[in-house]
Amino acid sequence: MEKIKGNLENINRDNLIYEIRERILVDLFNESKDYIVPTEELKPNTPLSTILADAYYLHYSLIPIIRMEKNENQILENIRLALLQYINSLTYKKAKIKTELNDELSTYYAILFMKNFINIASGGEGSFSRRASPKKAEEEIAKGKTSRIAKMLEDAAKQAEIDLQKVANILKIANFGTKEGDYLKTLKLVDLIKKVDNAEQILRFAIGLIEKMPRFYTKIKRDSTIGTELGGYRLSRNMLKALARELALPEELLLIKLVSQGLLTRRKLLNKLGAIYVLLDKSGSMAGLKTIWSRSVALALFKRSIIEGRKFYLRFFDYRIYRLLQNPEEILSDILSIKSNGGTDIQKAILTAIVDLKDSHLRDQTNVIIIITDGESKISKLLLRKKLDEVNARLITIFVGENERSDNVSNLMEISDKNFFVRPSERDALSLIQQI
């Protein structure tokens, strides 16, 4: 099949690198097009795939040059004429500052641009509530006037720039890489943010906290066979690790100690950062500003765990207890999308966290439970204190909002090792993160 000619003079479509790049972009687009008509996938070496690949090189290259001769394909000819106007626009120049010679951002921008362009060209108003159609977009481009197509290009580019900021914010929190799967995670999160109320506010507030929060951490130490720090002595039946003075004992006494209590050996300690475990109240009483604040704080703690090389675990709760999250994509997705509704069962949430801490996988990582709530739920002080003591767990409770010291709040305060009463403000959030 003869290759379609693109609209960039200094980009060779016959080059293998171009072909690979086009296929990567097409695959990413098809995998992330949740609002595009499912049966209308892009194919390589078609007008739309050429527009997509040209969009990448147009924003990545130092000096992209638009072809001056007419393109034989009518769709691409109309795009070529519109591009001659677009490259002189302020919108293009602003985008180029971020994408030039940046493969990662140019890839994101090309995909976001194309999704928006197809949506607008097929009759969309910037909303993705209905199915956009590549086929219909092609028909509109083929018969459209240059001025109209140029307007569609610029509108798509403006929306892509807004979406690219969402990408930047996501990448500031989660350390996604540049594999195809990582691109898809980020692109799906961008679509989610556009659809869910408050998601963008949560993300922006969290970024504000992350940029201002202090870079600090507290270390915990545990026994280890590979640790480098000495911490006294311990007993061991491993003769290879025994102290020299133990091995110098008379043979009979040495054997008695070895089979009974063991021989003295150096105790080694491994410096290790404890995991962060958060219970997050999503009940109806947390709706509104308390939801935005509490989830932004959870995201800031999640980012802190990444910076410090720590594990992060999260459970949502209302009157039910939700799955334990530890996958970064799931943590981000659920924090940004789960609605606040339902009643509150703090006791069940804490008991579930205690069971989590008994698990061998979590037991060695942390003994601290952080619960973020407004505190309005009945609990049994005796039962919870007993269960917490059984696993040597500490409870840190963060009360959000103007809490009256009701019996429920007082009871939760009594079983907690630390209590924080906060207003949903940036100042209180930063102060809290510093003290936890």
mmCIF file of all heavy atoms in Angstrom, residues 94-113:
data_model
loop_
_atom_site.group_PDB
_atom_site.id
_atom_site.type_symbol
_atom_site.label_atom_id
_atom_site.label_comp_id
_atom_site.label_asym_id
_atom_site.label_seq_id
_atom_site.Cartn_x
_atom_site.Cartn_y
_atom_site.Cartn_z
ATOM 1 N N LYS A 94 2.676 28.651 22.781
ATOM 2 C CA LYS A 94 2.629 28.326 24.213
ATOM 3 C C LYS A 94 2.827 26.826 24.434
ATOM 4 O O LYS A 94 3.550 26.413 25.350
ATOM 5 C CB LYS A 94 1.286 28.775 24.809
ATOM 6 C CG LYS A 94 1.184 30.280 25.026
ATOM 7 C CD LYS A 94 -0.218 30.686 25.419
ATOM 8 C CE LYS A 94 -0.630 30.100 26.744
ATOM 9 N NZ LYS A 94 -2.002 30.525 27.137
ATOM 10 N N ALA A 95 2.194 26.018 23.592
ATOM 11 C CA ALA A 95 2.335 24.566 23.723
ATOM 12 C C ALA A 95 3.762 24.129 23.432
ATOM 13 O O ALA A 95 4.317 23.251 24.107
ATOM 14 C CB ALA A 95 1.361 23.860 22.786
ATOM 15 N N LYS A 96 4.382 24.765 22.445
ATOM 16 C CA LYS A 96 5.733 24.396 22.001
ATOM 17 C C LYS A 96 6.772 24.591 23.101
ATOM 18 O O LYS A 96 7.763 23.857 23.166
ATOM 19 C CB LYS A 96 6.093 25.267 20.791
ATOM 20 C CG LYS A 96 7.221 24.723 19.924
ATOM 21 C CD LYS A 96 6.725 23.648 18.977
ATOM 22 C CE LYS A 96 7.681 23.449 17.822
ATOM 23 N NZ LYS A 96 9.066 23.219 18.170
ATOM 24 N N ILE A 97 6.530 25.546 23.975
ATOM 25 C CA ILE A 97 7.455 25.790 25.087
ATOM 26 C C ILE A 97 7.578 24.537 25.959
ATOM 27 O O ILE A 97 8.658 24.200 26.435
ATOM 28 C CB ILE A 97 6.970 26.994 25.936
ATOM 29 C CG1 ILE A 97 7.074 28.284 25.112
ATOM 30 C CG2 ILE A 97 7.777 27.121 27.219
ATOM 31 C CD1 ILE A 97 6.419 29.485 25.765
ATOM 32 N N LYS A 98 6.463 23.836 26.134
ATOM 33 C CA LYS A 98 6.448 22.643 26.991
ATOM 34 C C LYS A 98 6.891 21.384 26.250
ATOM 35 O O LYS A 98 7.497 20.496 26.847
ATOM 36 C CB LYS A 98 5.041 22.421 27.551
ATOM 37 C CG LYS A 98 4.524 23.562 28.403
ATOM 38 C CD LYS A 98 3.079 23.313 28.794
ATOM 39 C CE LYS A 98 2.521 24.484 29.584
ATOM 40 N NZ LYS A 98 1.076 24.318 29.896
ATOM 41 N N THR A 99 6.574 21.292 24.975
ATOM 42 C CA THR A 99 6.751 20.021 24.262
ATOM 43 C C THR A 99 8.030 19.908 23.441
ATOM 44 O O THR A 99 8.444 18.800 23.104
ATOM 45 C CB THR A 99 5.552 19.793 23.315
ATOM 46 O OG1 THR A 99 5.490 20.870 22.362
ATOM 47 C CG2 THR A 99 4.245 19.733 24.087
ATOM 48 N N GLU A 100 8.654 21.010 23.095
ATOM 49 C CA GLU A 100 9.810 20.976 22.191
ATOM 50 C C GLU A 100 10.927 20.098 22.744
ATOM 51 O O GLU A 100 11.383 20.270 23.872
ATOM 52 C CB GLU A 100 10.323 22.397 21.960
ATOM 53 C CG GLU A 100 11.391 22.474 20.869
ATOM 54 C CD GLU A 100 11.718 23.913 20.515
ATOM 55 O OE1 GLU A 100 11.019 24.484 19.672
ATOM 56 O OE2 GLU A 100 12.658 24.464 21.139
ATOM 57 N N LEU A 101 11.335 19.113 21.941
ATOM 58 C CA LEU A 101 12.381 18.142 22.270
ATOM 59 C C LEU A 101 12.073 17.350 23.539
ATOM 60 O O LEU A 101 12.971 16.793 24.178
ATOM 61 C CB LEU A 101 13.750 18.845 22.412
ATOM 62 C CG LEU A 101 14.281 19.522 21.149
ATOM 63 C CD1 LEU A 101 15.659 20.117 21.409
ATOM 64 C CD2 LEU A 101 14.332 18.550 19.981
ATOM 65 N N ASN A 102 10.800 17.302 23.898
ATOM 66 C CA ASN A 102 10.370 16.499 25.049
ATOM 67 C C ASN A 102 9.458 15.385 24.520
ATOM 68 O O ASN A 102 8.285 15.610 24.237
ATOM 69 C CB ASN A 102 9.626 17.382 26.058
ATOM 70 C CG ASN A 102 9.294 16.635 27.354
ATOM 71 O OD1 ASN A 102 8.894 15.477 27.335
ATOM 72 N ND2 ASN A 102 9.462 17.311 28.477
ATOM 73 N N ASP A 103 10.038 14.198 24.370
ATOM 74 C CA ASP A 103 9.294 13.084 23.777
ATOM 75 C C ASP A 103 8.047 12.739 24.593
ATOM 76 O O ASP A 103 6.966 12.512 24.033
ATOM 77 C CB ASP A 103 10.202 11.868 23.673
ATOM 78 C CG ASP A 103 9.449 10.614 23.241
ATOM 79 O OD1 ASP A 103 8.911 10.613 22.128
ATOM 80 O OD2 ASP A 103 9.391 9.656 24.033
ATOM 81 N N GLU A 104 8.180 12.695 25.919
ATOM 82 C CA GLU A 104 7.067 12.306 26.779
ATOM 83 C C GLU A 104 5.890 13.265 26.645
ATOM 84 O O GLU A 104 4.752 12.846 26.385
ATOM 85 C CB GLU A 104 7.527 12.253 28.238
ATOM 86 C CG GLU A 104 6.464 11.757 29.195
ATOM 87 C CD GLU A 104 6.951 11.695 30.631
ATOM 88 O OE1 GLU A 104 8.024 12.278 30.921
ATOM 89 O OE2 GLU A 104 6.269 11.095 31.465
ATOM 90 N N LEU A 105 6.151 14.565 26.797
ATOM 91 C CA LEU A 105 5.064 15.539 26.724
ATOM 92 C C LEU A 105 4.519 15.686 25.305
ATOM 93 O O LEU A 105 3.326 15.931 25.112
ATOM 94 C CB LEU A 105 5.530 16.893 27.261
ATOM 95 C CG LEU A 105 5.757 16.967 28.778
ATOM 96 C CD1 LEU A 105 6.116 18.388 29.199
ATOM 97 C CD2 LEU A 105 4.546 16.480 29.564
ATOM 98 N N SER A 106 5.382 15.533 24.300
ATOM 99 C CA SER A 106 4.908 15.591 22.910
ATOM 100 C C SER A 106 3.972 14.418 22.603
ATOM 101 O O SER A 106 2.986 14.565 21.875
ATOM 102 C CB SER A 106 6.091 15.575 21.937
ATOM 103 O OG SER A 106 6.860 16.751 22.068
ATOM 104 N N THR A 107 4.279 13.252 23.171
ATOM 105 C CA THR A 107 3.407 12.087 22.993
ATOM 106 C C THR A 107 2.052 12.335 23.631
ATOM 107 O O THR A 107 1.004 12.110 23.011
ATOM 108 C CB THR A 107 4.062 10.829 23.603
ATOM 109 O OG1 THR A 107 5.304 10.572 22.929
ATOM 110 C CG2 THR A 107 3.154 9.613 23.471
ATOM 111 N N TYR A 108 2.085 12.785 24.889
ATOM 112 C CA TYR A 108 0.818 13.093 25.562
ATOM 113 C C TYR A 108 0.035 14.154 24.789
ATOM 114 O O TYR A 108 -1.182 14.025 24.594
ATOM 115 C CB TYR A 108 1.082 13.590 26.985
ATOM 116 C CG TYR A 108 1.330 12.504 27.990
ATOM 117 C CD1 TYR A 108 2.535 12.427 28.685
ATOM 118 C CD2 TYR A 108 0.356 11.546 28.263
ATOM 119 C CE1 TYR A 108 2.763 11.426 29.619
ATOM 120 C CE2 TYR A 108 0.581 10.543 29.195
ATOM 121 C CZ TYR A 108 1.782 10.496 29.876
ATOM 122 O OH TYR A 108 2.007 9.501 30.794
ATOM 123 N N TYR A 109 0.737 15.200 24.361
ATOM 124 C CA TYR A 109 0.057 16.305 23.690
ATOM 125 C C TYR A 109 -0.596 15.840 22.389
ATOM 126 O O TYR A 109 -1.743 16.212 22.088
ATOM 127 C CB TYR A 109 1.039 17.444 23.407
ATOM 128 C CG TYR A 109 0.348 18.723 22.967
ATOM 129 C CD1 TYR A 109 -0.072 19.651 23.901
ATOM 130 C CD2 TYR A 109 0.099 18.988 21.633
ATOM 131 C CE1 TYR A 109 -0.724 20.817 23.520
ATOM 132 C CE2 TYR A 109 -0.551 20.141 21.225
ATOM 133 C CZ TYR A 109 -0.949 21.049 22.182
ATOM 134 O OH TYR A 109 -1.606 22.193 21.787
ATOM 135 N N ALA A 110 0.111 15.033 21.612
ATOM 136 C CA ALA A 110 -0.436 14.558 20.335
ATOM 137 C C ALA A 110 -1.712 13.742 20.551
ATOM 138 O O ALA A 110 -2.702 13.923 19.836
ATOM 139 C CB ALA A 110 0.614 13.718 19.597
ATOM 140 N N ILE A 111 -1.695 12.846 21.543
ATOM 141 C CA ILE A 111 -2.878 12.024 21.833
ATOM 142 C C ILE A 111 -4.038 12.904 22.306
ATOM 143 O O ILE A 111 -5.178 12.780 21.826
ATOM 144 C CB ILE A 111 -2.558 10.963 22.907
ATOM 145 C CG1 ILE A 111 -1.433 10.034 22.448
ATOM 146 C CG2 ILE A 111 -3.819 10.157 23.249
ATOM 147 C CD1 ILE A 111 -1.757 9.159 21.283
ATOM 148 N N LEU A 112 -3.747 13.798 23.243
ATOM 149 C CA LEU A 112 -4.799 14.673 23.790
ATOM 150 C C LEU A 112 -5.361 15.590 22.702
ATOM 151 O O LEU A 112 -6.575 15.807 22.615
ATOM 152 C CB LEU A 112 -4.232 15.498 24.944
ATOM 153 C CG LEU A 112 -3.806 14.694 26.181
ATOM 154 C CD1 LEU A 112 -2.977 15.561 27.115
ATOM 155 C CD2 LEU A 112 -5.007 14.112 26.900
ATOM 156 N N PHE A 113 -4.468 16.113 21.880
ATOM 157 C CA PHE A 113 -4.883 16.971 20.772
ATOM 158 C C PHE A 113 -5.821 16.221 19.831
ATOM 159 O O PHE A 113 -6.877 16.714 19.435
ATOM 160 C CB PHE A 113 -3.651 17.480 20.021
ATOM 161 C CG PHE A 113 -3.963 18.164 18.716
ATOM 162 C CD1 PHE A 113 -4.327 19.497 18.687
ATOM 163 C CD2 PHE A 113 -3.902 17.463 17.510
ATOM 164 C CE1 PHE A 113 -4.626 20.125 17.485
ATOM 165 C CE2 PHE A 113 -4.199 18.082 16.314
ATOM 166 C CZ PHE A 113 -4.564 19.429 16.300
#
